[in-house]
């Protein structure tokens, strides 16, 4: 008898939040595998059986709206799965393959990701506890209906969007409980350089992206998702001697060959394949050693999203021993971070940011700055490690499942 708790992922092999997917190892896409720690924890923990339900859209190397073409390509979805697991060093017997949705059991925990739209297929017919990650939330009004139709049991993510995000509250009507957990730093982010040997400036980094859909523009008025990153990047003279900035603006990269609606199918396929194999997004941004960069500076800034979501880089910088400078957002307090103790706050304007940095650059405030950097680093390394966060997240999901079962939802 199998007493292990089953955790079922949908199209796990194509989920770039959890492992190195085909889009990464074939087309050299740069992807931050933000939840890789969760899969790693599950695979090494004998209490859990990891399952991969591969549905009829399990082939991820090329996606298209043509149903006939996708039906043909998906013949190769199991081969893609085998190759991807091999690339990631996962043995064939480590993950149970589920080929039919009826094999998902009522006491399973099914984990979905909102960035993987094909995860939702047939989920309304699954009568098990379904937890949906809202990581990389976009805010399209149509997503509300998809989530409700899939009858998910709870939402989880680094930030409780219901509490923190105006866009979510405006367009979403998903009455489900939230489970939150911190961001996790990758193990390579280490505190290597003594504080007194670092440059007495702030290191600013992060990608600048844009959301042009009507819902985002209606709420925020501008398409930029990380305006604080952009204001630093666009004002190098203003921040001279206070900030060294490596932020990357996504719009400044080569967009490749434009795919037009009027293109015939072979031309569309050619352009998509060309863009995947020839166009390198953010090559310069990913070309330098981020760990070394954090270790070169006493302070760091990773501007938050206007959605109320901090960037994962903040925890990486703190793990490297930087004194982090961020806005006083609820998410930080939800993770237990205290302004003035674990990190430094400013009001979001470039003027106040410069004032704060100049204050901590003074000789009289170096002891205070070093104490904040040290306290923040210790807190993050204790509470935001992969093992600590994975264990707590699974505990929370299992508790949410028990409540769901007690309410007679199965």
């Amino acid at each position: 008898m199998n007493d292990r708790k089953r955790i079922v992922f949908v199209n796990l092999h194509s989920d770039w939040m959890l492992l190195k997917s085909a889009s990464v190892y074939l087309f050299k896409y740069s992807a931050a595998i933000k939840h890789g720690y969760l899969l790693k924890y599950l695979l090494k923990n004998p209490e859990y059986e990891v399952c991969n339900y591969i549905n009829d859209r399990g082939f991820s190397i090329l996606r298209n709206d043509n149903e006939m073409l996708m039906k043909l390509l998906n013949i190769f979805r199991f081969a893609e799965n085998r190759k991807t697991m091999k690339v990631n060093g996962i043995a064939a017997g480590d993950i149970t393959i589920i080929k039919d949705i009826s094999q998902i059991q009522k006491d399973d925990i099914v984990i979905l990701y909102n960035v993987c739209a094909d995860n939702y297929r047939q989920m309304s017919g699954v009568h098990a506890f379904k937890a949906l990650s809202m990581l990389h939330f976009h805010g399209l009004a149509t997503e509300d209906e998809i989530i409700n139709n899939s009858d998910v049991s709870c939402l989880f993510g680094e930030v409780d969007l219901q509490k923190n995000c105006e866009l979510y509250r405006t367009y979403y009507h998903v009455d489900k409980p939230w489970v939150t957990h911190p961001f996790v730093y990758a193990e390579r982010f280490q505190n290597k350089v003594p504080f007194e040997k670092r440059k007495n400036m702030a290191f600013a980094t992060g990608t600048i992206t844009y959301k042009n859909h009507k819902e985002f523009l209606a709420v925020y008025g501008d398409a930029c998702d990380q305006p604080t990153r952009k204001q630093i990047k666009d004002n190098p003279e203003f921040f001279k001697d206070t900030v060294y900035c490596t932020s990357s603006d996504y719009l400044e990269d080569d967009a490749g060959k434009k795919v037009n609606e009027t293109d015939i199918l072979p031309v569309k396929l050619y352009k998509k394949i060309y863009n995947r194999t020839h166009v390198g997004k953010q090559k310069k941004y990913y070309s330098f050693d981020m760990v070394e960069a954090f270790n070169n500076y006493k302070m760091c800034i990773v501007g938050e999203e206007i959605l109320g979501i901090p960037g994962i880089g903040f925890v990486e910088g703190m793990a490297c021993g930087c004194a982090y400078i961020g806005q006083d957002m609820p998410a930080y307090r939800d993770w237990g971070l205290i302004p003035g103790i674990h990190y430094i706050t400013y009001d979001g304007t470039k003027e106040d940011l410069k004032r704060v940095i100049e204050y901590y650059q003074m000789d009289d405030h170096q002891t205070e700055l070093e104490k904040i950097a040290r306290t923040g680093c210790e807190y993050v390394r204790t509470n935001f490690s992969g093992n600590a966060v994975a264990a707590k997240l699974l505990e929370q999901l299992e508790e949410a499942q028990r409540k769901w079962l007690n309410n007679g939802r199965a």
Side-chain angles (χ1 to χ4, degrees):
M1 182 178 178
N2 185 6
D3 294 326
R4 294 189 296 165
K5 182 69 177 179
R6 296 212 323 175
I7 307 296
V8 180
F9 295 99
V10 180
N11 295 329
L12 168 63
H13 59 286
S14 66
D15 196 332
W16 50 275
M17 290 294 177
L18 293 161
L19 44 63
K20 187 182 293 185
S21 64
S23 63
V24 176
Y25 64 78
L26 286 179
F27 304 124
K28 311 303 179 186
Y29 276 21
S30 296
I33 307 174
K34 295 180 180 178
H35 286 186
Y37 67 88
L38 176 60
L39 180 59
K40 182 179 179 181
Y41 180 87
L42 287 167
L43 288 173
K44 71 179 182 181
N45 194 320
E47 295 179 28
Y48 297 100
E49 178 184 355
V50 180
C51 304
N52 181 17
Y53 166 53
I54 303 177
N55 68 16
D56 63 343
R57 286 295 183 273
F59 185 79
S60 71
I61 296 173
L62 181 64
R63 298 193 187 279
N64 192 275
D65 293 333
N66 187 297
E67 287 291 326
M68 290 291 291
L69 176 63
M70 292 311 299
K71 188 173 182 179
L72 174 64
L73 292 175
N74 273 276
I75 295 173
F76 305 101
R77 63 192 186 278
F78 297 107
E80 180 189 336
N81 171 70
R82 289 191 294 272
K83 173 65 176 178
T84 297
M85 295 305 158
K86 185 176 181 179
V87 167
N88 284 272
I90 301 173
D94 289 349
I95 295 178
T96 301
I97 303 300
I98 296 177
K99 297 183 178 182
D100 191 280
I101 202 165
S102 64
Q103 295 173 325
I104 298 177
Q105 302 165 9
K106 69 177 183 179
D107 54 350
D108 292 341
I109 290 181
V110 180
I111 295 182
L112 308 165
Y113 280 80
N114 72 308
V115 292
C116 302
D118 288 333
N119 281 193
Y120 291 113
R121 295 175 69 87
Q122 302 175 323
M123 277 296 115
S124 60
V126 174
H127 303 294
F129 182 83
K130 290 168 282 190
L132 174 65
S133 168
M134 296 299 288
L135 185 60
H136 280 236
F137 164 75
H138 294 297
L140 297 172
T142 52
E143 293 173 339
D144 175 285
E145 182 179 358
I146 294 171
I147 293 172
N148 279 314
N149 288 343
S150 299
D151 192 28
V152 300
S153 312
C154 85
L155 306 173
F156 73 99
E158 285 74 5
V159 174
D160 182 341
L161 296 171
Q162 179 62 45
K163 182 169 67 174
N164 291 273
C165 180
E166 184 180 355
L167 178 62
Y168 182 92
R169 292 192 298 270
T170 302
Y171 288 102
Y172 276 56
H173 307 283
V174 181
D175 185 19
K176 302 294 178 182
W178 270 91
V179 169
T180 59
H181 58 92
F183 283 107
V184 169
Y185 62 89
E187 287 301 321
R188 72 180 186 278
F189 290 93
Q190 298 288 326
N191 186 355
K192 300 177 179 181
V193 178
F195 197 77
E196 67 275 8
K197 293 185 178 181
R198 300 177 180 216
K199 295 176 183 178
N200 193 20
M201 293 175 62
F203 170 61
T205 192
T207 301
I208 302 165
T209 59
Y210 301 85
K211 290 181 168 64
N212 286 295
H213 57 270
K214 63 180 181 180
E215 295 90 344
F216 188 92
L217 295 173
V219 173
Y220 301 111
D222 186 273
C224 184
D225 196 9
Q226 301 87 7
T228 54
R229 297 181 195 178
K230 187 170 178 59
Q231 74 175 356
I232 296 172
K233 187 177 187 300
D234 290 350
N235 292 278
E237 285 301 313
F238 182 83
F239 287 106
K240 185 179 180 181
D241 301 323
T242 56
V243 178
Y244 174 70
C245 179
T246 64
S247 293
S248 172
D249 194 317
Y250 207 71
L251 290 183
E252 294 177 2
D253 293 315
D254 180 12
K257 296 183 182 295
K258 184 179 180 181
V259 180
N260 302 304
E261 289 297 323
T262 54
D263 292 339
I264 60 173
L265 180 58
V267 173
K268 285 184 178 180
L269 293 176
Y270 161 71
K271 288 182 177 180
K272 288 181 178 180
I273 293 171
Y274 178 90
N275 290 341
R276 286 201 171 196
T277 56
H278 289 78
V279 180
K281 285 285 186 183
Q282 299 180 285
K283 285 185 177 180
K284 183 179 179 181
Y285 178 67
Y286 287 104
S287 66
F288 68 94
D289 188 329
M290 192 76 76
V291 179
E292 181 182 354
F294 279 128
N295 274 273
N296 279 339
Y297 294 87
K298 292 184 176 181
M299 295 168 272
C300 71
I301 310 153
V302 184
E304 300 90 348
E305 292 185 27
I306 200 170
L307 299 169
I309 305 172
I312 189 173
F314 94 88
V315 72
E316 297 168 340
M318 291 178 72
C320 289
C322 290
Y324 175 65
I325 304 173
Q327 298 178 62
D328 190 2
M329 288 186 168
Y332 295 119
R333 294 178 182 268
D334 288 346
W335 299 322
L337 296 172
I338 303 171
I341 303 295
H342 301 111
Y343 75 112
I344 300 163
T345 59
Y346 76 109
D347 67 8
T349 65
K350 68 179 191 294
E351 291 79 14
D352 194 49
L353 176 58
K354 184 178 180 180
R355 178 192 65 79
V356 166
I357 295 171
E358 289 177 339
Y359 171 89
Y360 283 106
Q361 285 179 319
M362 297 178 187
D363 291 341
D364 291 347
H365 300 136
Q366 288 297 292
T367 299
E368 179 187 358
L369 179 64
E370 183 174 3
K371 183 178 180 181
I372 292 173
R374 182 177 65 255
T375 305
C377 181
E378 290 171 354
Y379 185 87
V380 160
R381 298 200 71 84
T382 299
N383 298 285
F384 295 2
S385 69
N387 283 341
V389 173
K392 181 65 175 178
L393 173 58
L394 289 164
E395 178 186 322
Q396 291 175 290
L397 290 177
E398 290 183 55
E399 175 59 26
Q401 183 194 35
R402 281 191 288 272
K403 291 180 180 179
W404 180 81
L405 289 169
N406 288 338
N407 288 332
R409 296 302 306 274

